[in-house]
Amino acid sequence: MVRENVCVFSEPVMHDLDYASCFMKQLAEEARRAGVVTVVETDGTASANDAALETYDPAVFYSVGHGQCCIHTVECMEPYIEAAGYHCEIEWQGEKYTYDCVTDRRLDFWVGRHVHLLSCVTGLNLGPELIRHGARSFIGYDHFFLIGWYFTDEEIKPPAPCEPPDEYGDMYTAIDSDVEGERAIVLRGASVGEAVAAMKAKFQEYIQKYTEGEWKDRLIAYWARTCLEHDLEHLVAYGDMDWRPCSAAAAPPPSPIPLFLLFVPFGFLVLSLTKPPAKI
């Protein structure tokens, strides 16, 4: 049976995926410090993911990888989740990118789970297929996910993973906006719908900075804003938006404060006592 408050993060690093895995590792560490939700990290290989799913039976599977409309790949571009029978044809900047899915892979692994794929185009057909096969909720993108943009020459090097944006590059804000969804779920006990709203708000926050805020005059501003606007437009979610996969992380409602009257020789003293929140 799916275990709420347990998550598996698939964190490959090849083919520029370390830009996203870096954020996921930070979130996993925050969750460990909070001590409420269990986050299991894998190296993003198919075998490690399978083992983690079998061992921990998590409510949340969060994975970064390359993809198309019907397939999600993991470390070294290994196909991991696939729905057969789809012909993908995605246009970008005047070019068409096509892919044919011919094999069903792991469609039934996600029954009762929340699946979040930081992966190009998987929200178009793969996400709905996972819902049809029993996944409880899905977050992804129905077009290419644009990680970011940077200028480079002999003197300007590409940004490092998790390096904040500057004048010449931003490989940070789009990923940070995506990860905000799982921050909301894992650290704050948000529902899936609230997580999507948190992602949208984070995208909008960065777009505003590049449009009229403190970053509007940076050389990178136009391209960074274009990436963020594109990703926000193509963010999709399906399934049970009211579900809280990590409900233990939610702040408990205030407990009633019992008042006890203690009579003493010179009158009475009011003692306010509160119960500590339950911990799991």
Side-chain angles (χ1 to χ4, degrees):
M1 184 176 180
V2 167
R3 296 170 60 199
E4 293 193 357
N5 306 304
V6 178
C7 313
V8 167
F9 287 4
S10 173
E11 302 170 351
V13 296
M14 302 296 291
H15 307 288
D16 292 327
L17 297 179
D18 53 342
Y19 279 103
S21 293
C22 174
F23 282 85
M24 296 166 73
K25 291 179 185 296
Q26 291 180 347
L27 174 54
E29 179 57 32
E30 287 185 75
R32 277 190 286 273
R33 288 198 300 268
V36 176
V37 172
T38 299
V39 176
V40 179
E41 300 176 82
T42 80
D43 61 7
T45 59
S47 59
N49 288 342
D50 287 351
L53 290 168
E54 181 176 359
T55 301
Y56 297 97
D57 200 12
V60 172
F61 180 72
Y62 185 26
S63 180
V64 58
H66 296 286
Q68 249 286 7
C69 76
C70 48
I71 188 170
H72 173 69
T73 69
V74 287
E75 187 67 287
C76 296
M77 307 284 285
E78 180 179 5
Y80 189 61
I81 312 172
E82 184 176 355
Y86 288 97
H87 171 72
C88 307
E89 190 170 291
I90 307 298
E91 291 192 23
W92 175 247
Q93 294 185 330
E95 294 189 37
K96 287 186 178 181
Y97 298 82
T98 63
Y99 191 89
D100 292 300
C101 287
V102 297
T103 304
D104 284 334
R105 302 176 196 267
R106 298 177 177 84
L107 294 179
D108 297 323
F109 276 42
W110 317 107
V111 175
R113 305 191 203 279
H114 167 64
V115 180
H116 183 162
L117 301 181
L118 177 46
S119 182
C120 292
V121 204
T122 51
L124 188 59
N125 301 119
L126 185 60
E129 280 288 348
L130 297 186
I131 296 296
R132 281 192 284 272
H133 280 79
R136 189 160 175 181
S137 58
F138 175 90
I139 295 176
Y141 299 85
D142 64 7
H143 206 277
F144 295 130
F145 181 86
L146 306 181
I147 293 178
W149 197 287
Y150 60 86
F151 298 105
T152 184
D153 59 24
E154 292 182 357
E155 296 183 358
I156 304 173
K157 303 302 180 185
C162 286
E163 182 178 338
D166 62 16
E167 187 78 12
Y168 303 104
D170 183 351
M171 298 288 281
Y172 182 99
T173 57
I175 300 170
D176 189 51
S177 299
D178 183 88
V179 175
E180 184 66 18
E182 295 312 310
R183 288 193 195 102
I185 288 174
V186 173
L187 301 180
R188 304 193 290 275
S191 68
V192 177
E194 290 168 343
V196 174
M199 294 168 70
K200 292 180 177 180
K202 183 62 73 172
F203 274 116
Q204 293 286 9
E205 175 188 332
Y206 285 130
I207 290 169
Q208 190 278 334
K209 286 186 176 183
Y210 280 119
T211 303
E212 55 189 21
E214 59 195 281
W215 299 344
K216 65 183 178 62
D217 295 323
R218 289 184 176 181
L219 291 177
I220 198 67
Y222 169 80
W223 290 274
R225 185 176 69 247
T226 297
C227 292
L228 290 163
E229 290 173 341
H230 173 90
D231 293 341
L232 174 58
E233 179 183 355
H234 293 285
L235 170 63
V236 295
Y238 311 114
D240 185 355
M241 296 294 104
D242 294 325
W243 182 37
R244 298 179 184 273
C246 297
S247 58
S255 299
I257 302 177
L259 298 179
F260 295 88
L261 300 184
L262 176 64
F263 290 92
V264 294
F266 300 101
F268 64 89
L269 177 67
V270 179
L271 303 180
S272 299
L273 304 177
T274 60
K275 291 183 178 180
K279 295 186 182 297
I280 296 176

